[in-house]
Amino acid sequence: EAGVTQFPSHSVIEKGQTVTLRCDPISGHDNLYWYRRVMGKEIKFLLHFVKESKQDESGMPNNRFLAERTGGTYSTLKVQPAELEDSGVYFCASSQGAGGSTAKNIQYFGAGTRLSVL
Amino acid sequence: GNSVTQMEGPVTLSEEAFLTINCTYTATGYPSLFWYVQYPGEGLQLLLKATKADDKGSNKGFEATYRKETTSFHLEKGSVQVSDSAVYFCALSDLDNQGGKLIFGQGTELSVKP
């Protein structure tokens, strides 16, 4: 079974440019999460999809970030325009259910996309 | 709000040394607690978990006990190997959030030398 895959693994862009990150969750997982780790600090929640609907986007830093999950399969996270402080590692995770620690609610993570804004 | 605090790294140990990575949390209620590990070039992997007070999670020789009285979930291993070199993250599930988002500590980098 394929795990969570993220593309690209690394992206280097200039300030002001646009970048789109992609996440393919594990097949059959309705729940998809985006997280970010900036400058070696804690991993912070960005948002949560249930199928194609945004369940919680309380962690999105500002309106330069746009996440979509059309059709409830893969998700994209677009940053437009990118700023220096957006640099970090963006993680995607998926799970069958949500909340707690039962087996079907465990979140499985991708390897992350390292974004460098110069 | 809910939060997780981990001991700062990096931690450098010799092979077969004893490992402790401290983790304390602040939360309302009794969240589930997790340790995730990120090996170089890979994604976060669930290492172990505990769902209630006094539960002990264990995997690959690592252990952590859910201590309600000290709000802690310290990670331990009796004898580390070079292959344990990775970044370790302590996390809790946010009970205030129906969607089950995780709240992480800042991560502790472990380097094990032969």
Side-chain angles (χ1 to χ4, degrees):
Chain A
E1 178 183 308
V4 177
T5 52
Q6 293 187 244
F7 307 95
S9 57
H10 194 181
S11 179
V12 181
I13 61 172
E14 300 273 334
K15 175 183 169 182
Q17 289 185 319
T18 298
V19 64
T20 300
L21 314 181
R22 173 169 168 150
C23 169
D24 286 69
I26 294 172
S27 178
H29 281 194
D30 287 340
N31 293 272
L32 187 148
Y33 304 81
W34 284 97
Y35 294 86
R36 176 173 74 169
R37 188 182 191 212
V38 173
M39 286 293 291
K41 295 186 178 178
E42 71 271 27
I43 299 170
K44 285 193 173 180
F45 167 81
L46 295 178
L47 86 159
H48 169 213
F49 284 99
V50 178
K51 297 184 180 178
E52 68 275 8
S53 299
K54 292 176 185 174
Q55 177 80 9
D56 180 358
E57 49 185 330
S58 62
M60 294 288 264
N62 51 62
N63 59 11
R64 295 185 293 103
F65 289 75
L66 175 64
E68 296 179 324
R69 194 183 181 196
T70 307
T73 54
Y74 71 90
S75 174
T76 58
L77 179 64
K78 181 191 287 189
V79 185
Q80 178 182 30
E83 298 289 344
L84 299 178
E85 64 265 26
D86 301 332
S87 297
V89 181
Y90 290 77
F91 291 101
C92 175
S94 71
S95 64
Q96 284 184 277
S101 63
T102 58
K104 74 179 182 75
N105 293 353
I106 294 296
Q107 294 182 31
Y108 295 87
F109 283 76
T113 293
R114 181 174 296 277
L115 175 63
S116 300
V117 183
L118 306 178
Chain B
N2 298 334
S3 65
V4 174
T5 302
Q6 284 180 240
M7 64 184 284
E8 290 191 20
V11 174
T12 302
L13 296 174
S14 297
E15 207 164 21
E16 299 184 1
F18 184 85
L19 168 72
T20 299
I21 300 179
N22 289 339
C23 171
T24 57
Y25 67 90
T26 301
T28 52
Y30 303 104
S32 294
L33 300 175
F34 306 85
W35 276 99
Y36 278 84
V37 58
Q38 185 180 22
Y39 298 103
E42 299 184 15
L44 290 164
Q45 301 174 23
L46 180 64
L47 181 59
L48 53 84
K49 62 181 174 69
T51 58
K52 61 183 186 297
D54 300 325
D55 262 4
K56 177 185 283 188
S58 61
N59 185 25
K60 300 182 180 180
F62 290 89
E63 293 183 340
T65 301
Y66 191 143
R67 300 285 189 202
K68 182 172 77 88
E69 63 277 11
T70 55
T71 61
S72 64
F73 192 55
H74 305 322
L75 183 68
E76 296 183 336
K77 187 175 185 182
S79 175
V80 294
Q81 305 301 312
V82 173
S83 56
D84 293 326
S85 298
V87 182
Y88 293 80
F89 295 91
C90 185
L92 63 81
S93 63
D94 188 351
L95 291 180
D96 295 333
N97 182 283
Q98 295 290 333
K101 73 178 184 183
L102 296 173
I103 295 174
F104 287 89
Q106 70 268 36
T108 302
E109 183 178 359
L110 170 66
S111 178
V112 181
K113 305 298 185 186

